[in-house]
Amino acid sequence: MQTPARYPRRLSRVVHVGAVAIGGESPVSIQSMTTTHTRRAAETLAQVRRLAAAGCDLVRVAVPALPDGEALPEIVAGSPVPIIADIHFSTALAMKALEAGAAKVRLNPGNMDDEDGLRKVLGLAARLGRPLRFGVNSGSVLAKRAGAKVAPQDLPALMVEMLMRWVRIAEAEGMPDLVLSAKASDVPTTIEAYRLLAEACDLPLHLGVTAAGPIDEARMRSGLVLGTLLSEGIGDTLRVSLTGDPIQEVLIGQEILAELGLRPHRGIRIVSCPTCGRCEVNLVSLVERLKAATRDIESPLTVAVMGCVVNGPGEAQEADVGLAAGKGHGVLFRRGEPVRKVPEADMLGALLEEVRAVAAEG
Amino acid sequence: MQTPARYPRRLSRVVHVGAVAIGGESPVSIQSMTTTHTRRAAETLAQVRRLAAAGCDLVRVAVPALPDGEALPEIVAGSPVPIIADIHFSTALAMKALEAGAAKVRLNPGNMDDEDGLRKVLGLAARLGRPLRFGVNSGSVLAKRAGAKVAPQDLPALMVEMLMRWVRIAEAEGMPDLVLSAKASDVPTTIEAYRLLAEACDLPLHLGVTAAGPIDEARMRSGLVLGTLLSEGIGDTLRVSLTGDPIQEVLIGQEILAELGLRPHRGIRIVSCPTCGRCEVNLVSLVERLKAATRDIESPLTVAVMGCVVNGPGEAQEADVGLAAGKGHGVLFRRGEPVRKVPEADMLGALLEEVRAVAAEG
């Protein structure tokens, strides 16, 4: 577990969402959002439980109308993780969600103009000790400006300005605990918005790309944005957004944090070379079969499978289990020590045996 | 095309590899490496041509032994892009590769100790006006230190130190044009190594993650590393490394640059929401079918498919073609203007028709 040395984590205030702390030195938490109609409480709760079982720390549900707000107490009572209500347009629904026990309420400054209503929500949240997230999205910011064309390079500052205006209103109304987000659907705009936001305040930040697209695109866009920001020490909680099963949002969030060294890997982490004119074994097939055969292993082990002597011995030494292949054979390593030489035909079997032995050691 | 405003590109020296410029204000170029035995010139050349056709700017070939070096003139003569020779251990092979016409030679300071030989290579490269890349990998650095355990946090500085020692030797030997790289197999180490390297010199940098693993892992690790560095203005050329078909390396490199706004997208870029309790249409299926049906389109168009009124109109206005869905219908947008309202059953057809019409406008 490490953050790159020269970019210490931005020090933010700590906010508690139920039992989950966001900000300060708390681990970066993972959020997702249900895709069910919230008013169907049982169906929504079933999805909340699936998300929690996959490792989701906080689950958000849309509350577009009163019947959805009325389902909240049942969902909150049955959920293993804190429930966040997602509110747009209506401050009355935000009041309802707080009263219904939502652990946190998200409001969108891009589509709420009722400032008196907002002041009431702020006051109630402060009294209840319940945090709010002010979250702007490029889409709603642009819709609000409809007619007045916004140049892409002006969007980040506009998003931050919209958030900070609300932060000043909150300061005048008892200052409930706040989390901020500024998501755009394209990568450079999102990075820039969060960099500006990180400088503008010390509130904890919720990271994400909005409308990030189908799973493959969303995985890349989220990796680019979250990777950059977290590598610069920015970000306290995250949501990967994708058009598809929200369980995948949780798994990708975990993957990003693990690759950045911010939490342990889930299962086997494979390090393998691209093969080149030096490689004398069928490494591509070996790696594919190794990956397929180790999906059940949950221990966070690094396994290096390398095709030649250039980087093979070094990577194999660094890994929990390593194989440095040569012509027709490979040298097997365990925790940095060479164990034995195996012929090509036995490589996969020997690797699997070694991986399972090391995994069993715990 | 933009870099995030507050991180201007690091200004590096310009190096010419054949007709391709690396560094300065040149576009970030994409490299890959053949997986064939280089000595089989025809087979290697066939792969070089496939890579070039996919948009690879520079192709590297492994030269592990003399017969591979002897195949270089045929490969260089037949290649549509500059050919780079990848050399480890042997300065004699590096001399051979330069004599054989390689447009650039990569040397690994982690596995070459023959300093007299190195000086000869440097002198020859300077005389021929041919650039060299000094490229260290975590694996070879660790192998060189075998026995002396290296703490992970010390690895970036060690890699940079190894490179800069060679740069000083190069300065004494006519200073050929140089490109540097410092790849590790884990993400934070790689980011940190390049950040240090960017500060240590003004030479152009070749970015990459070494031994990045199978395609899914490699895509994420490369996205995290290249995204972070390029968003900080660091990097002049890149290679995505993965265990699999090198064509995928080129496509992922292009994807990363496009998402960062550093080159046009190839084909349709889909912006779509994660769907939530607000969504009243089957957006997941709509987006999947849209993606499948537009794979042949090469125009770099953004298509937004949004499930509700929260961000729908804003994103749809921003896109080349947009659909903001409501209950049982959607509003279609073209270049920011609402075109017409379509019933749910006609959404896909109307979207495709609009996308093809806009693509045809060019």
Side-chain angles (χ1 to χ4, degrees):
Chain A
M1 301 312 98
Q2 53 172 135
T3 40
R6 298 182 315 146
Y7 281 74
R9 185 164 170 190
R10 167 180 172 268
L11 202 60
S12 56
R13 297 186 209 179
V14 181
V15 163
H16 293 275
V17 183
V20 177
I22 296 178
E25 295 180 12
S26 323
V28 176
S29 50
I30 293 175
Q31 310 198 16
S32 183
M33 191 167 175
T34 51
T35 58
T36 54
H37 287 286
T38 306
R39 63 192 69 184
R40 296 186 192 149
E43 204 181 310
T44 301
L45 207 39
Q47 202 181 46
V48 168
R49 290 197 179 110
R50 277 180 64 224
L51 288 166
C56 190
D57 299 305
L58 298 158
V59 176
R60 183 157 44 117
V61 302
V63 181
L66 206 55
D68 303 296
E70 283 162 356
L72 278 177
E74 185 180 338
I75 297 167
V76 167
S79 170
V81 295
I83 295 294
I84 303 167
D86 193 60
I87 309 282
H88 297 267
F89 307 108
S90 163
T91 54
L93 280 172
M95 296 295 281
K96 176 82 191 171
L98 283 171
E99 287 155 5
K104 177 177 157 196
V105 172
R106 179 272 175 108
L107 305 174
N108 184 344
N111 57 34
M112 279 185 175
D113 292 316
D114 166 20
E115 214 164 294
D116 286 341
L118 171 64
R119 289 180 195 278
K120 283 183 197 138
V121 175
L122 290 164
L124 180 61
R127 277 197 303 284
L128 294 174
R130 227 81 67 68
L132 302 174
R133 170 162 65 98
F134 296 166
V136 295
N137 292 345
S138 51
S140 42
V141 170
L142 292 167
K144 194 168 188 171
R145 291 264 170 152
K149 194 78 186 164
V150 177
Q153 67 271 26
D154 296 335
L155 193 52
L158 198 62
M159 292 164 78
V160 171
E161 187 187 305
M162 212 177 249
L163 287 168
M164 294 311 294
R165 198 178 81 79
W166 272 38
V167 171
R168 288 188 295 273
I169 298 174
E171 282 167 349
E173 300 293 334
M175 192 59 183
D177 284 341
L178 295 179
V179 177
L180 302 181
S181 66
K183 305 181 185 180
S185 58
D186 96 303
V187 169
T189 304
T190 314
I191 291 172
E192 181 64 3
Y194 278 101
R195 283 175 173 167
L196 289 174
L197 199 51
E199 284 181 6
C201 68
D202 68 350
L203 296 170
L205 302 183
H206 164 124
L207 305 183
V209 181
T210 192
I215 184 163
D216 287 344
E217 289 85 336
R219 186 162 166 271
M220 177 58 86
R221 291 172 193 162
S222 299
L224 293 170
V225 166
L226 305 183
T228 300
L229 294 169
L230 291 166
S231 294
E232 293 176 1
I234 298 171
D236 302 288
T237 184
L238 64 83
R239 180 201 179 186
V240 170
S241 149
L242 58 83
T243 308
D245 185 353
I247 297 293
Q248 295 300 324
E249 300 186 347
V250 178
L251 300 182
I252 294 172
Q254 291 170 343
E255 179 188 9
I256 290 172
L257 291 178
E259 292 293 352
L260 291 170
L262 296 174
R263 57 179 282 161
H265 278 270
R266 194 167 178 148
I268 301 298
R269 171 176 174 262
I270 297 180
V271 166
S272 60
C273 76
T275 81
C276 69
R278 294 176 180 275
C279 186
E280 303 282 356
V281 301
N282 188 343
L283 203 79
V284 177
S285 149
L286 179 64
V287 167
E288 278 169 6
R289 287 180 293 156
L290 171 71
K291 192 173 163 177
T294 53
R295 285 193 202 281
D296 63 306
I297 297 178
E298 293 194 358
S299 316
L301 301 181
T302 294
V303 181
V305 186
M306 304 290 293
C308 82
V309 293
V310 171
N311 299 308
E315 292 290 348
Q317 275 167 40
E318 250 339 69
D320 296 294
V321 176
L323 179 85
K327 187 159 189 163
H329 73 276
V331 178
L332 200 66
F333 291 76
R334 176 199 284 223
R335 300 212 189 279
E337 299 299 325
V339 177
R340 65 182 192 277
K341 198 164 164 175
V342 289
E344 183 172 355
D346 299 344
M347 279 180 185
L348 181 65
L351 255 177
L352 286 174
E353 196 180 297
E354 208 59 38
V355 168
R356 295 206 174 271
V358 173
E361 284 172 12
Chain B
M1 304 310 97
Q2 52 173 136
T3 41
R6 298 182 316 146
Y7 282 73
R9 185 163 169 191
R10 167 179 172 269
L11 202 61
S12 56
R13 297 185 210 180
V14 181
V15 162
H16 293 275
V17 182
V20 177
I22 296 178
E25 296 180 11
S26 322
V28 176
S29 50
I30 293 175
Q31 310 199 18
S32 182
M33 190 166 175
T34 50
T35 58
T36 53
H37 287 286
T38 306
R39 62 192 68 183
R40 296 184 192 152
E43 203 181 311
T44 301
L45 206 39
Q47 202 180 47
V48 168
R49 291 197 179 111
R50 278 180 64 225
L51 288 165
C56 190
D57 299 305
L58 297 158
V59 176
R60 184 158 43 117
V61 302
V63 181
L66 206 55
D68 304 295
E70 282 162 358
L72 278 178
E74 185 179 341
I75 297 167
V76 167
S79 171
V81 294
I83 295 293
I84 302 167
D86 192 61
I87 309 280
H88 297 267
F89 306 107
S90 163
T91 54
L93 280 173
M95 296 295 281
K96 177 83 191 169
L98 284 171
E99 286 155 6
K104 177 176 157 196
V105 172
R106 179 270 175 107
L107 306 174
N108 184 346
N111 59 33
M112 279 185 176
D113 292 316
D114 166 21
E115 214 165 294
D116 286 342
L118 171 63
R119 289 179 195 279
K120 283 184 198 138
V121 175
L122 290 164
L124 180 60
R127 275 197 303 285
L128 294 174
R130 226 80 67 68
L132 301 175
R133 170 162 66 97
F134 296 167
V136 295
N137 293 345
S138 51
S140 43
V141 170
L142 291 167
K144 193 169 188 170
R145 291 264 171 152
K149 194 78 185 163
V150 177
Q153 66 270 25
D154 296 335
L155 193 51
L158 198 63
M159 292 164 78
V160 172
E161 187 186 306
M162 211 177 250
L163 286 168
M164 294 311 295
R165 199 177 82 78
W166 272 38
V167 171
R168 288 189 294 274
I169 298 173
E171 282 166 350
E173 300 294 332
M175 192 59 184
D177 284 340
L178 295 179
V179 177
L180 302 182
S181 66
K183 304 181 185 181
S185 58
D186 95 305
V187 169
T189 304
T190 314
I191 291 172
E192 181 64 5
Y194 278 101
R195 282 174 173 167
L196 290 174
L197 198 52
E199 283 180 6
C201 68
D202 68 349
L203 296 170
L205 301 184
H206 164 124
L207 305 183
V209 181
T210 191
I215 184 164
D216 287 345
E217 289 85 336
R219 186 162 166 272
M220 177 59 85
R221 291 172 194 163
S222 299
L224 293 169
V225 166
L226 304 183
T228 300
L229 295 170
L230 291 166
S231 293
E232 293 176 1
I234 298 171
D236 302 287
T237 183
L238 64 83
R239 180 200 180 186
V240 170
S241 148
L242 58 83
T243 308
D245 185 353
I247 296 293
Q248 295 299 324
E249 300 186 347
V250 178
L251 300 182
I252 294 172
Q254 291 171 342
E255 180 188 9
I256 290 172
L257 291 178
E259 292 292 351
L260 292 169
L262 297 174
R263 58 180 282 161
H265 279 271
R266 192 166 181 150
I268 301 299
R269 170 176 174 261
I270 296 180
V271 166
S272 60
C273 76
T275 81
C276 69
R278 296 176 178 274
C279 186
E280 303 283 355
V281 300
N282 189 343
L283 204 79
V284 177
S285 149
L286 179 64
V287 167
E288 278 169 5
R289 286 179 295 156
L290 171 71
K291 190 173 164 178
T294 53
R295 284 193 204 281
D296 63 307
I297 297 179
E298 293 194 359
S299 316
L301 301 182
T302 294
V303 181
V305 185
M306 304 291 292
C308 83
V309 293
V310 170
N311 299 309
E315 291 291 348
Q317 276 168 40
E318 253 335 72
D320 295 295
V321 176
L323 180 86
K327 187 158 187 163
H329 73 276
V331 178
L332 201 65
F333 290 75
R334 177 201 283 223
R335 302 214 189 275
E337 299 299 325
V339 176
R340 66 182 190 277
K341 199 164 163 173
V342 288
E344 183 172 355
D346 299 344
M347 279 180 184
L348 181 65
L351 255 177
L352 286 174
E353 197 180 297
E354 209 58 39
V355 168
R356 295 207 175 270
V358 173
E361 283 171 13

